[in-house]
Structures are given as structure tokens and as C-alpha cells.
Amino acid sequence: MNSQDKTKPQPAPASGDLDEQALFYHHYPRPGKLEIQATKPLGNQRDLALAYSPGVAAPCLAIRDEPDTAFDYTARGNLVAVVSNGTAVLGLGNIGPLASKPVMEGKAVLFKKFAGIDVFDIEISAPAVDEMVSTISALEPTFGGINLEDIKAPECFEVEQQLREKMSIPVFHDDQHGTAIIVAAAILNGLELAGKKIEDVKIVASGAGAAALACLNLLVTLGARRENIWVHDIEGLVYVGREALMDRWKSVYAQPSDKRTLSESIEGADVFLGLSAAGVLKPELLARMAEKPLIMALANPTPEIMPDLARAARPDAMICTGRSDFPNQVNNVLCFPYIFRGALDCGATTINEEMKMAAVRAIAALAREEVSEVAAKAYSGESPTFGPNYLIPSPFDPRLILRIAPAVARAAAESGVARRPITDFDTYLDQLNRFVFRSGFVMKPIFTAAKKAPAKRVIFAEGEDERVLRAAQVLLEEGIGQPILIGRPPIIENRLQRFGLRIRPGTDFEVVNPEDDPRYRDYVEEYFGLVGRAGINPEAARTIVRTNNTVIGALAVRRGDADALICGVEGRFDRHLRDVGQIIGKKPGVCAFSGLSLLISQRGAIFFTDTFVTYNPTAAEIAETTVLAANEIRRFGITPKAALLTHSNFGSRDSESARKMREALRLIRERAPELEVDGEMQGGSALSEALRKRAMPDSTLTGEANLLVFPNLDAANISLGLVRTMMDALHVGPILLGAALPAHVLSTSVTSRGVVNMAALAVVEATQPA
């Protein structure tokens, strides 16, 4: 393939196999998962002079005279190196540094997405300890922190120890300490539920690698006694006098005992810590453990014992795994992004025991917190309750960064390792709060809610479209909902095969054939009853119900044959909306439909309304739309902040548009006094508190608005298109507001991902009607 060919769009792989999909994902549209972007403008000669010569001399000299100012003038304070020599990659073993690069890029993506930290992944050909230490320590001027990754034991212990002694920036081996922090938090909470004290419990470990030993070391710091810890590896028990596969780190846990096997030492154990291999812990061994045992079966992808087997053998057991499909997932992403966030923000010179302990306690405490209304929405509207199935928070809990980063920064200051201690934690928390809603995980509460909801049937009007077919497979794979596709069965079957999709009609999902549907007569009768006095005669009704898929889908929802409708992937928006309006209709008390659009970009999430429906709404319609939009935004776990936009800034102009938005504000405040809203204002004032306060110091809107309300369809739709294109933002919507039942009319430019997003939202709406 030549370089020109590489830039052309490529078809998706003709197989549903995960490996092929992963290769496609990593290859197209650009190889890899990362890119570098400039953070300063470079649009003219002066910008060039400031960015490079001669202007760059000033920060260079400032850093020469005061090295700590590098955190003020360069990206160093938010830059971490993810470093590996590829000797212990995931479950792949020693595959070498080059083959480890996709994993390191993946780690970099997690840092950026969860904590806003920039990363260079660095894969080094340095198998020996001294080579690694020499290479990595030489990188100190570039980075604010070092994350060691996938280095085999026992070399990883020596590398980290030497680097921590040589370098004055945080060095953190996540395979060890990230796992240990989460395990420690889970064990603290599990023991609390069991009514046990850590200094009294017996801990039996299977596995003696980097992660296992780090877990045990941290548990000892928490108060566990070494004489109560029994460690096993492939040679059996680690005992005093053993010579095979021993090292100075493992020897710390050698027991003076004649026992040799796991079955011998597990008698009376309170905690099983597994970081070894699938199937190591047999169900019959559980019967010999103490009351209310805590099972940490963390081997991946198959744990030492599957939770269902463990629960059958010991119903009183509390169980954690490394898998996302079971409760209590031990996932390093629970902590490492936020530990580095706190360490970088206070200029920590290391990540010490005090900082790790602060992270443990923050995670453990978060699981015990009463969940706020906003946070509960991230868990599908159900407040998770501290207990055997909720020992540790979800990796996607938006509160993690708000608890861990400040705790780590505070511990760094109190232990004397913070170069730039944070003095105003209220302001710091506000900064972190704003990041939470700019992190790209805006849709996570919706997907979490959809997955936990009872199975809801989503009917797709354009069931033959490739985007819908791909979305249907995702819905089934993710357990989001049960798709029903309207279309001709042979066409759907052929296209599924052509696109390499695994799902099959009649087996995985229902197909409604408009040419041969047994409910046809009932649907015609229902439809004519609705539109018979709107210019539709019986013959036309029969034709429409045979040929108009949106009508079929809307009737299915109205009659209870489906729970939600998705249409509009093909054809004109207004025609689909007409059919939805005639059949499903509006909610009681709603005057008019309106359209809400969500844009998700690097800047964060922002909602626009009305982007698709009403050409020139009245003040009353704008007020109604704003209140409906605010209610919809709350489903995302976001507190709405609405700005009513026009060319006038708080009375600076007295045009018709300005007067309309002022009247809308009055009506909104009457109807929803709890809503944070202000206007009329210009777009800049909506997004900049400084600009807004300059024009109106006592504005009732704080921070940045996240709901932009426009005076007419032209302004809303044009703004949406421009911002979407300029910011390369993901569009979710349009979200139809005001329908009596869940129904959404999408745009013809929607992607398969967009179809999935809207289907998930429709499932949530069907489960949690406003």
C-alpha cells in the first residue's frame, strides 16, 4: 500500500472477530491512538516570534535562573512518561518494547481521558536494570512524573527503587502500587462489613509477582501482621529455607512451616488474594475459610474462581475480580490517573507511602458515601449501597478524581514532598469539577443506566441501513437494549453478511417486514383512527402503513409492541417529525416539540436548543423548551446552567429578539425557579464568567453555561454546525423534547456511534420517564 492509499477510507473488517476489530480500530483512520496538538496560537509572525525565536529566550533564561519555573512556562507539570521495556506485557509476557507500544499508548489515553494528563509513551530496549535506570533517569528534565509499566519482577522492584533514589519527580510502578491501592481499599471495606480487624486476619495469597507483593506490603502498612500472611507461587508455599525462585522481596513473607500447598494453608483464612492463574482456588477450599471470607480473585481474563462458583460454595463470601462484568471490579484506572493528578498539581517530588495511604482511604470512603442525586445518575438512577457487592466504586464514578487527587495532594504537603502545596482546596475542587464534565465521559451515565434497565425494545425505522445494523450489534453486545429492525428480511440478512456482522434476524433480534406483517390490519385501523380526519382516506392509510417505516415504528411504540423509536437516518427530518407527532403525540401540557443537541469535544459537553424543530419560537415556547431541556440534561448527571442567547447583552439592544428572550427568562423563572438561568446575553458572555460579570456583575448564572438557548432555528442550527465542525465534536442528537413516548428523529449525517448513543438515551427515557 502506498502512502496515498493510506489516507483513503477503508472498509471495516469482514469479520466480527475481536482481534480483527481491534486491528482495524488501531489502524484507521490514522494509525495509533495518540496525537500531539499545540496549545498556543501560531497564526501570524508575532505568534511565531513568541513561540520560538526570539521570544522563547525569555522563558529559557527564567528556567535557567529558577528551575521550578519550568512548571509555569512549559508543559512539564502536566506531562508523564509511560515507560516500559516490554518484559511483562498484560497476559502476553516478554514481547519486547516495540510490541508493547499499543499497550503504552492505551495507558496514555487513560491518563488523558480520566485525569487530563498528557503522556509520552516511551518504549526502551533495555532489559537490564542498570540500562533502564540510566535511560529513564536521564529523562527527568522533560517530565513531571514517570509511570513504569509492564516490567517483569523482580527487576521492576530494583528499577523503581533506584529511580526513586535518583529522581526528584514521582516514579510509580502502576502494576504494583495501583493494584495494591485498590485491593487495600476493598479489603478495608470488606473487613469492616465482616466485623474483623486487619491486624487479626489471616491472609493467603496465590501469586508472588510485583502486584501481589505490593498488595501485601501495603496491607502490612495498614496493620496486617506478617506472621498472618501465607504466600504461594508456582513452587508452592514461600517458607523459611526455600531456595527455588526466591528473592529478597519475596523472602520477607517466608513462613517457618512444614506446610507446602494452598489447600493446607487456607484453613481458617479470612482473605484470599489471588494474582496468579485461572482455577487456582477450588470451590471445596472455600468451605475451609473463616466466616464471611473476602475473595480477591484478580487473575485476568479468568479469575482464580468464578464468582458464581464462589458464591455457591460460600454464600457469605464477598468477592472481587478484575472483570467489568461482575461487581467489585479491581481496575487500576480507579486510582493511577488521580494519584498522578494530585501529585503533579502540588509539584510532588515522589509518591510516598502517605500519599498511597491517602488514596486507599479516599477510595474506601467513597464506597461508603451517601450518593448525591447527580452522582446517582451515573449509576442509572439507583444509589449504590455500601455492601458485599459494592466494596469499591465503579471506575467510571465521576467523584473519583474529586476525592483522590485532593487527598493525595494534601498528603504530599503534610509529608513535606510538595514543591507547590495547594493552599486553596475549594478552588482546586472547582477546577477538578469542571474537568469532570470535560472528560469525554458524558455519555457514561446514560450507558450505565441503559445496561441496568430491564430489557427495553428499541424499534429502528431504517432497519436496512448499515449504521443501524452496526448499532444493533453494539446494543446486543453491550446489553443496552433489544433492537427491532423494520426492513425486508433478505436485504437485512445480505447486508449483515456483507458487513461481517454476527447478529442474525429471528435469533438475536426481531425483524418487522413491512411487506408481510401479521399486525398490518390492526396497525392500519389504529393509524386511520388517528389521521382519518386529517386528509388521509382508508386506501391511503393502507398504503402508508405498508410503505412508511416511521409510521410503522411509531404505531409499534404507541401500541406497546416496542418501548422506543429511532428514525430519521434516511429522509427529511420534518416528514419523520410529522409522523411522530400524528401517532405518538406530545406529552400532556406540552405545547410544541423541540430539539436538543449535545456536542462533546475536548472542551467538554454543551447542549444547544432548539436546533431542529421550531423556526421562530415564541417566548412561551422558548421557556417550555428550556425547562424540558434542563430535565433531559439531568439524566446525564449534569446540573443544567442555561444561557438565553441573542445579539443583546443584558439590555444593550431593544430588538424584537432581545425582548423575546427577556420574556422567556421571566417565564422560566416562574415555571422552574430552581433552574440556574440568565439572559438575554451574547455567546461570549454565556461561556466566559469574566465577560458576563463585566456586563452584569450580579448575574444569576455562575461559571460556564452548558445549555445554550437560541432565539430561532437559524441561529441554533448554524451555531451547532459551525461549532461541531470547528471543534471536531461528537454530536449526540437531536434529542426530541416533548414527545409522549420515547421517540427520536435523527439527522441523515448520524454515524453508527450516534445511533447507539441515541438508542441508549431512548432506553433510559423508557425506563425513567420524566
Side-chain angles (χ1 to χ4, degrees):
M1 178 182 288
N2 60 41
S3 59
Q4 187 176 7
D5 291 333
K6 291 180 180 179
T7 64
K8 295 179 180 178
Q10 300 293 321
S15 167
D17 181 79
L18 180 63
D19 289 345
E20 290 193 34
Q21 292 185 35
L23 292 173
F24 182 85
Y25 172 88
H26 282 79
H27 193 174
Y28 301 106
R30 295 172 58 182
K33 299 189 283 279
L34 299 172
E35 67 177 3
I36 295 174
Q37 291 186 347
T39 60
K40 298 295 191 296
L42 198 64
N44 53 46
Q45 187 63 38
R46 180 162 182 79
D47 289 344
L48 181 61
L50 291 171
Y52 199 55
S53 180
V56 76
C60 289
L61 294 175
I63 294 169
R64 179 200 62 186
D65 296 337
E66 181 51 63
D68 276 357
T69 59
F71 295 105
D72 300 318
Y73 301 129
T74 75
R76 187 183 185 221
N78 194 50
L79 186 61
V80 166
V82 171
V83 186
S84 180
N85 65 355
T87 53
V89 179
L90 294 174
L92 305 176
N94 187 356
I95 61 174
L98 183 59
S100 76
K101 188 170 180 64
V103 178
M104 303 311 125
E105 284 189 358
K107 194 70 173 241
V109 169
L110 296 179
F111 267 108
K112 186 67 175 178
K113 285 293 184 181
F114 283 92
I117 295 171
D118 295 315
V119 167
F120 290 154
D121 64 289
I122 299 177
E123 298 75 30
I124 58 177
S125 181
V129 169
D130 57 348
E131 289 180 284
M132 287 204 74
V133 171
S134 175
T135 302
I136 297 170
S137 62
L139 299 172
E140 183 168 352
T142 301
F143 296 99
I146 304 291
N147 184 88
L148 301 176
E149 194 77 16
D150 292 348
I151 303 167
K152 72 181 182 72
E155 288 88 339
C156 60
F157 303 120
E158 192 65 47
V159 168
E160 185 187 42
Q161 181 177 323
Q162 291 191 32
L163 287 173
R164 291 183 65 177
E165 292 170 355
K166 294 186 68 171
M167 303 178 77
S168 59
I169 58 174
V171 177
F172 187 80
H173 186 205
D174 183 47
D175 297 336
Q176 293 182 58
H177 308 300
T179 303
I181 286 166
I182 303 158
V183 165
I187 289 178
L188 278 183
N189 281 344
L191 294 181
E192 178 176 319
L193 288 172
K196 300 176 182 180
K197 296 181 179 179
I198 193 167
E199 59 266 26
D200 299 330
V201 297
K202 179 179 179 179
I203 301 169
V204 175
S206 175
L213 293 178
C215 290
L216 297 174
N217 291 341
L218 194 51
L219 292 174
V220 169
T221 303
L222 281 167
R225 293 156 57 185
R226 293 184 191 274
E227 59 266 32
N228 291 340
I229 297 174
W230 300 69
V231 180
H232 301 75
D233 60 12
I234 58 174
E235 288 288 325
L237 180 70
V238 173
Y239 60 90
V240 174
R242 195 182 104 174
E243 296 182 357
L245 292 180
M246 293 296 288
D247 54 56
R248 62 188 176 95
W249 297 278
K250 194 185 301 183
S251 297
V252 170
Y253 295 101
Q255 285 279 13
S257 173
D258 57 0
K259 296 177 181 178
R260 295 294 181 263
T261 65
L262 181 64
S263 62
E264 291 176 300
S265 58
I266 203 166
E267 186 73 38
D270 300 280
V271 178
F272 171 82
L273 174 61
L275 284 149
S276 52
V280 166
L281 184 61
K282 306 301 180 185
E284 56 268 22
L285 298 184
L286 290 178
R288 297 160 58 186
M289 295 184 70
E291 182 184 0
K292 296 181 181 179
L294 179 56
I295 311 300
M296 311 292 295
L298 307 181
N300 259 327
T302 306
E304 285 80 1
I305 187 169
M306 293 298 288
D308 55 340
L309 292 177
R311 195 162 283 110
R314 287 296 297 266
D316 62 336
M318 291 170 280
I319 307 160
C320 299
T321 71
R323 292 171 52 141
S324 61
D325 52 346
F326 295 109
N328 295 323
Q329 182 194 11
V330 175
N331 186 329
N332 287 16
V333 81
L334 266 167
C335 70
F336 75 80
Y338 316 121
I339 290 172
F340 269 97
R341 182 72 280 158
L344 292 172
D345 290 342
C346 70
T349 58
T350 186
I351 294 175
N352 57 23
E353 291 303 304
E354 291 86 349
M355 295 161 74
K356 288 189 283 184
M357 292 298 294
V360 170
R361 294 191 179 99
I363 294 169
L366 179 56
R368 298 193 296 268
E369 278 190 31
E370 290 184 5
V371 180
S372 68
E373 180 183 355
V374 170
K377 289 184 180 294
Y379 289 93
S380 77
E382 301 175 2
S383 297
T385 304
F386 177 52
N389 288 327
Y390 186 64
L391 297 176
I392 44 179
S394 160
F396 289 98
D397 192 315
R399 299 169 294 168
L400 284 164
I401 192 171
L402 306 178
R403 302 294 185 273
I404 299 174
V408 168
R410 199 183 300 273
E414 291 173 354
S415 60
V417 299
R419 284 195 191 95
R420 304 182 308 282
I422 293 171
T423 55
D424 186 346
F425 275 90
D426 289 338
T427 299
Y428 183 52
L429 276 170
D430 183 60
Q431 293 170 354
L432 295 176
N433 255 306
R434 279 182 282 162
F435 168 77
V436 167
F437 297 110
R438 294 179 177 178
S439 61
F441 290 102
V442 177
M443 289 299 298
K444 187 61 188 178
I446 299 298
F447 279 94
T448 302
K451 289 178 182 180
K452 289 188 176 182
K456 296 296 180 182
R457 302 156 298 169
V458 182
I459 191 165
F460 294 89
E462 295 85 10
E464 298 174 2
D465 190 280
E466 177 184 358
R467 293 164 291 179
V468 171
L469 294 172
R470 293 191 181 281
Q473 177 155 307
V474 173
L475 294 181
L476 289 166
E477 288 177 344
E478 298 293 324
I480 294 170
Q482 185 63 40
I484 302 172
L485 306 189
I486 303 175
R488 295 160 293 179
I491 301 298
I492 291 176
E493 185 74 51
N494 289 339
R495 291 184 178 177
L496 287 171
Q497 292 178 2
R498 184 198 311 170
F499 303 137
L501 301 174
R502 297 186 302 279
I503 56 175
R504 290 294 172 260
T507 302
D508 300 309
F509 62 92
E510 179 185 347
V511 174
V512 174
N513 183 359
E515 298 174 350
D516 184 21
D517 185 357
R519 299 165 295 189
Y520 172 69
R521 292 184 184 277
D522 295 335
Y523 277 30
V524 170
E525 183 178 342
E526 181 100 12
Y527 181 60
F528 184 71
L530 294 167
V531 300
R533 295 183 180 274
I536 303 295
N537 59 38
E539 183 179 348
R542 287 191 291 270
T543 301
I544 290 170
V545 174
R546 185 76 76 190
T547 59
N548 187 322
N549 289 5
T550 297
V551 167
I552 297 170
L555 287 167
V557 173
R558 180 183 174 89
R559 290 171 54 86
D561 296 331
D563 299 300
L565 167 67
I566 300 294
C567 61
V569 176
E570 299 170 1
R572 286 175 51 178
F573 182 92
D574 55 348
R575 291 181 179 175
H576 291 285
L577 183 61
R578 175 201 63 197
D579 296 332
V580 170
Q582 287 179 334
I583 298 167
I584 291 178
K586 296 185 284 289
K587 291 178 182 177
V590 171
C591 298
F593 290 120
S594 55
L596 175 68
S597 288
L598 164 62
L599 290 185
I600 304 172
S601 69
Q602 292 286 349
R603 180 182 175 87
I606 192 163
F607 294 83
F608 294 64
T609 197
D610 171 10
T611 49
F612 277 85
V613 180
T614 307
Y615 294 105
N616 189 21
T618 65
E621 288 172 332
I622 289 172
E624 178 181 79
T625 293
T626 303
V627 174
L628 289 172
N631 290 336
E632 194 70 25
I633 290 169
R634 292 187 180 101
R635 294 188 195 275
F636 293 81
I638 296 174
T639 300
K641 296 184 175 187
L644 306 186
L645 302 183
T646 184
H647 63 284
S648 174
N649 215 26
F650 299 103
S652 65
R653 305 285 289 272
D654 195 34
S655 65
E656 179 184 350
S657 170
R659 290 194 296 271
K660 178 167 70 173
M661 300 310 274
R662 284 176 217 150
E663 175 64 10
L665 177 64
R666 185 187 68 80
L667 295 172
I668 292 167
R669 286 177 170 166
E670 286 181 358
R671 184 170 174 177
E674 78 287 351
L675 177 61
E676 189 171 331
V677 58
D678 208 347
E680 84 283 10
M681 70 181 75
Q682 297 171 352
S685 297
L687 299 180
S688 169
E689 187 170 37
L691 287 177
R692 186 167 60 254
K693 285 190 176 298
R694 199 174 300 162
M696 181 55 61
D698 61 348
S699 171
T700 53
L701 185 64
T702 60
E704 294 182 10
N706 54 26
L707 171 58
L708 304 183
V709 182
F710 293 86
N712 56 51
L713 184 62
D714 280 344
N717 193 272
I718 291 169
S719 298
L720 175 72
L722 289 174
V723 174
R724 178 183 182 182
T725 302
M726 293 171 65
M727 301 188 68
D728 192 25
L730 170 67
H731 178 217
V732 179
I735 302 166
L736 186 62
L737 301 177
L741 297 167
H744 295 289
V745 183
L746 309 188
S747 65
T748 55
S749 62
V750 70
T751 63
S752 61
R753 180 182 178 188
V755 176
V756 171
N757 286 336
M758 289 305 300
L761 181 59
V763 167
V764 174
E765 290 173 342
T767 308
Q768 306 169 1

